[in-house]
């Protein structure tokens, strides 16, 4: 332990911690360009200078470790002047083109100028060293502007240390120094370059000039791409998502996300979603408001209730539903149909896998699904379901979710097998998930339209947040099932999200007593003995 | 990487071996190897830098970073004679500007350019350390001291017809 005094306040911190990290944690603000908590310390931008008692010169806080008895000033006159001077040097060769720069609004240079700069430039525009390399397409969705670069080398270090490929380098010397792409980026993590660039030198080709960042609302949620569950921020406006960016969480994704996840926001926008449900009648389909649609479905299901020992209704849950939806579907089947025929071992679609983030399971919650399935002593497996289907024991099947590609790959005749069913209803968000055989397609809330939790590949329970609801026909699965029960003349109380989360966490064990509030922004980890077991194979 | 790019002479090959022996890591050999390669080929283009990087098992980017840091490494083939006009203080006071203007006019090229026949290239350099004999012009590795327009002209004439010697 070390005791340090920062601006007169005493803090107890771990010995040898970086001063800048300590300041960040206790809420003392320090400007920086080159320092990034997940990259090595370069110490080249000199913005994070602080005054340390006993040291004649100012020190950079990113490369200073705290020691006991250290006394630090972060906003003395000397520090303020030094920051302004450093900034002036950085500005010597930087164009003042914020109005046409896409980084404006989230640019460190712009922020610091407003904060400590605000001087009249002593360097006339015509004396600046021109680096006339503008809007160079680097490939992998990254655009480079040489003249805006402040040479912090975050991108160089990211490629070397995180991706493991020395594709970017700093060429030339002095005023002529320049970041250069020396090998093709060709990585699935290139999008992070635009995030970590503190200025407008590296921008995202996808997001560039689409929207000013200050018009966008932010919702902290989880990436739906794969079972890693990278923490992300969804940036949206008028019920449209403009981009996903990673959110720092050192127990899951640090500060990174892959490009597959990053650009998957497109599939969460209305053009990819089912906005109104329909029922198949004869050779055509008929669009219907969701309550009406559920009424028709209720009529078909009503007669099937408890005919034999176990009813002839089964449900399948895809590995992209939230824990709460999984719980609700199981509860609904048990309460209304007295059925335990809920298939929970639907495999996740296969995808790319690497050592960094990508898990190869391209669905958001296979771990939650399998954890909940293991709770049952005698789970209703996909094989048992196939057998029942073959023997004609089933008359109605309800499908919940979008990620069916994994099942389809493991079960070649799936679409054919479903054809024989009198009633097939699918509760799905995405157009691509609407089965051609489905009699009923009921729009279900997509990840940005609902609250809930997912369990990631390492057993970390994380929170998905609702930003908006696109229209009144889109319902969360719990709401749909409540209505369905009502139309069948039954009562099914869905309950509050908090309660379902609590009951789900209790059911899977390991986190008994934990609540939605405990999950919070960073999530909670399951104890190691309760980690998802499907991964051991 | 491709051996034909780095086709060393026998002596150079021997020197390369001794450089590789002299340093603890291959990356540490980069600068001496670049010097050797520059001497051997007269310039270091991207393919040559790539071959050096391959030889030393370091990323291409690292080789290029070091290579471009030092402006005296030529990145393209040089003229047979590289004329370097000193623009240090003494030379400037003693007529460097006239010499440079004369050379530009005589060779019909600007600073940093090469004559179309590849014989001459014109550069200005900072102080060559021969202030006692200003103005100084260096051609390749040779100092020509106390230069006047007449003396330069006769040197140029000499070099234009002179025996072919390596740059």
């Amino acid at each position: 332990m070390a005791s340090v005094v920062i601006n007169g306040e005493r803090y107890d911190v771990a010995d040898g911690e970086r001063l800048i990290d300590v300041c960040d944690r206790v809420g003392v603000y320090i400007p920086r360009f080159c320092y990034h908590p997940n990259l090595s310390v370069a110490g080249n931008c000199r913005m994070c200078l602080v005054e340390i008692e006993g040291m004649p010169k100012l020190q950079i806080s990113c490369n200073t470790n705290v020691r006991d008895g250290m006394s630090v000033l972060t906003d003395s006159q000397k520090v303020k002047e030094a920051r302004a001077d450093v900034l002036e040097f950085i500005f010597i060769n930087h164009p003042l083109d914020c109005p046409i720069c896409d980084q404006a609004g989230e640019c460190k240079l712009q922020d610091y100028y407003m904060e400590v700069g605000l001087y009249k430039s002593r360097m006339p525009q015509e004396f600046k060293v021109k680096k006339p390399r503008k809007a160079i397409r680097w490939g992998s969705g990254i655009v480079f502007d040489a003249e805006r670069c402040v040479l912090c080398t975050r991108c160089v270090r990211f490629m070397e240390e995180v991706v493991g490929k020395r594709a970017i380098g700093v060429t030339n010397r002095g005023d002529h120094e320049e970041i250069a792409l020396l090998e093709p980026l060709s990585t699935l993590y290139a999008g992070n370059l635009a995030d970590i660039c503190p200025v407008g030198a590296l921008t995202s080709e996808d997001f560039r000039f689409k929207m000013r960042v200050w018009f966008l609302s932010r919702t902290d949620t989880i990436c739906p791409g794969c079972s890693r569950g990278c923490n992300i921020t969804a940036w949206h406006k008028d019920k449209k998502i403009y981009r996903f960016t990673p959110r720092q969480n050192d127990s899951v994704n640090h500060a990174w996300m892959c490009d597959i996840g990053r650009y998957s926001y497109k599939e969460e926008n209305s053009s990819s979603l089912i906005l109104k449900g329909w029922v198949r009648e004869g050779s055509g389909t008929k669009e219907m408001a969701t309550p009406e649609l559920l009424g028709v479905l209720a009529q078909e299901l009503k007669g099937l209730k408890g005919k034999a020992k176990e009813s002839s209704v089964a449900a399948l849950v895809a590995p992209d539903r939230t824990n709460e939806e999984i719980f609700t579907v199981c509860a609904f089947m048990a309460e209304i149909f007295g059925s335990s025929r809920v298939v929970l071992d639907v495999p996740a679609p296969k995808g790319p896998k690497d050592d960094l983030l990508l898990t190869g399971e391209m669905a958001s919650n296979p771990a939650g699904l399998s954890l909940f399935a293991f709770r049952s002593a005698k789970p209703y497996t996909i094989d048992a379901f196939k057998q029942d289907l073959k023997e004609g024991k089933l008359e109605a099947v309800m499908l919940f979710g979008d990620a069916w590609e994994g099942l389809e790959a493991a079960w070649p005749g799936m679409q054919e097998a479903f054809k024989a069913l009198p009633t097939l209803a699918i509760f799905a968000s995405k157009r691509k998930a609407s089965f051609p055989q489905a009699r009923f397609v009921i729009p279900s809330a997509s990840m940005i339209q609902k609250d809930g939790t997912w369990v990631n590949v390492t057993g970390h329970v994380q929170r998905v947040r609702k930003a908006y609801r696109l229209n009144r026909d889109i319902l969360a699965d719990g709401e749909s099932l409540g209505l369905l029960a009502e139309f069948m003349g039954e009562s099914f109380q869905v309950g509050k999200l908090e309660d379902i989360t609590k009951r789900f966490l209790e059911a899977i064990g390991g986190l008994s007593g934990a609540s939605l509030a405990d999950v919070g922004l960073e999530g909670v980890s399951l104890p190691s003995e309760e980690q998802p077991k499907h991964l051991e194979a | 990487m491709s051996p034909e790019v780095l086709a060393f002479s026998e002596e150079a090959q021997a020197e390369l071996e001794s450089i590789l022996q002299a340093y603890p890591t291959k990356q540490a050999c980069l600068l001496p190897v670049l010097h050797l390669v520059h001497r051997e080929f007269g310039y270091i283009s991207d393919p040559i830098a790539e071959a050096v990087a391959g030889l030393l098992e370091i990323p291409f980017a690292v080789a290029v970073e070091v290579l471009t840091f030092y402006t005296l490494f030529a990145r393209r083939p040089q003229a047979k004679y590289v004329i370097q006009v000193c623009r240090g203080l003494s030379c400037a006071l003693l007529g460097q500007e006239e010499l440079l203007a004369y050379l530009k006019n005589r060779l019909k090229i600007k600073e940093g350019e090469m004559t179309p026949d590849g014989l001459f290239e014109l550069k200005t350099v900072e102080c060559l350390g021969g202030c006692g004999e200003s103005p100084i012009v260096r051609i390749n590795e040779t100092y020509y001291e106390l230069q006047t327009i007449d003396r330069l002209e006769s040197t140029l004439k000499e070099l234009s017809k002179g025996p072919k010697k390596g740059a």
Side-chain angles (χ1 to χ4, degrees), chain A residues 159-177:
Chain A
M159 285 305 287
E160 187 176 7
E161 295 163 18
V162 180
V163 177
K165 189 177 175 198
R166 192 74 155 72
I168 307 176
V170 184
T171 58
N172 301 324
R173 170 162 43 96
D175 262 359
H176 301 276
E177 245 178 67

Side-chain angles (χ1 to χ4, degrees), chain B residues 42-80:
Chain B
Y43 68 102
I44 305 179
S45 60
D46 273 359
I48 298 179
E50 209 173 325
V52 171
L55 183 74
L56 298 179
E57 293 160 14
I58 55 173
F60 172 62
V62 173
V64 171
E65 281 178 346
V66 172
L67 179 62
T68 57
F69 184 90
Y70 297 101
T71 48
L72 291 179
F73 284 126
R75 301 280 278 129
R76 55 170 173 78
Q78 301 282 86
K80 191 174 171 193

